[in-house]
Amino acid sequence: MSPAIPVLRSTVIVLAALAVGLLPATAAQAHQPGAPGLRIKESRFHLKATGPGFVLKLTPRGLDVRIDEDRFGDPATGNPIVRQTIDLTGLTLRPFECRNGTYTIRTGTFKRTWRVSQLAKRPLPYTDGFATGAPGIFTPFVGELDGTVTDADGRTLRFLISDLVQEVMTADTFSATAPIHGFFVDERGRVRDRISLVGRFNAGRDGQNTVYGIEDRGTCRQLANLPYGPGSENAVVTGPLFVFPFSAPVTEPRAH
């Protein structure tokens, strides 16, 4: 992979954290639960995601997010809702490698809203480097990307992408659901390629019985080495977005 700037979920939070040992991880089983509190209803050209205090709807025509500030995440923690908008125009970002083309971002924004439920260390294989950049447990993270890309022939397409994270840490367990969905739409409104990557992670709080994996029902997936130190090589990504900050097994359920 050529060098590129990764679009991080949490560039504004910096705090060192220590990693802990764990038993060997196993591939995710069918119907692995991931984190509670996030429901995903997906068809080929429609996504509805309902999480704690938000509803997100994505189609090839648009991306709509409704946030209830009084219910978003866990207000009882006292941690604030954080909002940030990144202008993607002019940045050197890893292109999306898809079945029907390679797409480079030319213009767009990445709107991000999240609330940290607690400062804690995620179990391995989350790396020390990722812990330094993202020590807070996201309950939840809501990302909205909207802009234009060009393909290898110079044609312009619109992209619409949702990037979500729901993490829940209890006294005994850590779980995460990390879905990325999106569409690349041509000038006639036709979907050229589709992102559908859903990562799920379940483990004991200290890494016991770790199980994780990624379901891919789309046409856009690649591997990249992420800048989070040893253990962040060969992560599953789509363009500048990553599902998990470490290598994870992928299954390809039948698209619906």
Side-chain angles (χ1 to χ4, degrees):
M1 296 293 175
S2 59
I5 299 172
V7 176
L8 307 184
R9 286 184 167 119
S10 56
T11 56
V12 299
I13 304 173
V14 179
L15 181 69
L18 300 177
V20 296
L22 80 168
L23 300 176
T26 59
Q29 304 298 315
H31 310 300
Q32 183 189 351
L38 177 60
R39 299 187 300 278
I40 300 171
K41 185 176 181 181
E42 176 186 2
S43 63
R44 187 170 180 81
F45 297 119
H46 183 269
L47 171 77
K48 180 178 181 181
T50 305
F54 77 90
V55 176
L56 179 148
K57 295 180 181 179
L58 173 66
T59 72
R61 296 181 298 278
L63 174 60
D64 179 70
V65 177
R66 306 292 174 91
I67 291 178
D68 182 341
E69 293 194 4
D70 293 333
R71 298 178 52 248
F72 187 76
D74 184 0
T77 65
N79 295 324
I81 297 172
V82 181
R83 288 182 170 86
Q84 184 182 53
T85 298
I86 299 173
D87 185 357
L88 303 178
T89 304
L91 298 182
T92 301
L93 301 170
R94 184 185 301 111
F96 297 89
E97 296 179 7
C98 301
R99 186 177 302 163
N100 299 308
T102 297
Y103 309 114
T104 300
I105 293 177
R106 295 305 180 195
T107 66
T109 58
F110 185 10
K111 297 179 181 180
R112 314 188 306 180
T113 306
W114 71 89
R115 192 195 291 269
V116 170
S117 58
Q118 58 181 300
L119 294 178
K121 54 190 177 185
R122 302 169 179 85
L124 288 171
Y126 288 88
T127 68
D128 284 346
F130 186 73
T132 298
I137 304 302
F138 295 124
T139 312
F141 175 99
V142 178
E144 313 163 55
L145 294 91
D146 186 348
T148 63
V149 294
T150 55
D151 65 12
D153 297 321
R155 290 173 292 196
T156 299
L157 297 89
R158 185 184 183 191
F159 71 88
L160 295 152
I161 300 173
S162 63
D163 179 20
L164 305 176
V165 182
Q166 169 76 351
E167 298 177 323
V168 175
M169 179 168 279
T170 70
D172 301 314
T173 66
F174 172 76
S175 58
T177 302
I180 302 174
H181 291 86
F183 300 104
F184 295 93
V185 185
D186 68 16
E187 68 279 2
R188 297 185 180 180
R190 297 174 300 188
V191 174
R192 176 87 66 83
D193 277 293
R194 171 176 175 260
I195 301 169
S196 176
L197 297 165
V198 180
R200 295 184 175 90
F201 187 106
N202 293 94
R205 181 162 177 152
D206 294 328
Q208 309 94 322
N209 304 315
T210 303
V211 181
Y212 56 85
I214 299 168
E215 293 182 354
D216 181 4
R217 292 183 172 86
T219 61
C220 300
R221 183 179 90 224
Q222 62 215 83
L223 298 178
N225 296 332
L226 300 179
Y228 300 125
S232 65
E233 305 86 0
N234 295 316
V236 174
V237 304
T238 180
L241 304 172
F242 59 87
V243 183
F244 291 128
F246 48 81
S247 179
V250 177
T251 59
E252 297 184 0
R254 181 177 298 178
H256 55 279

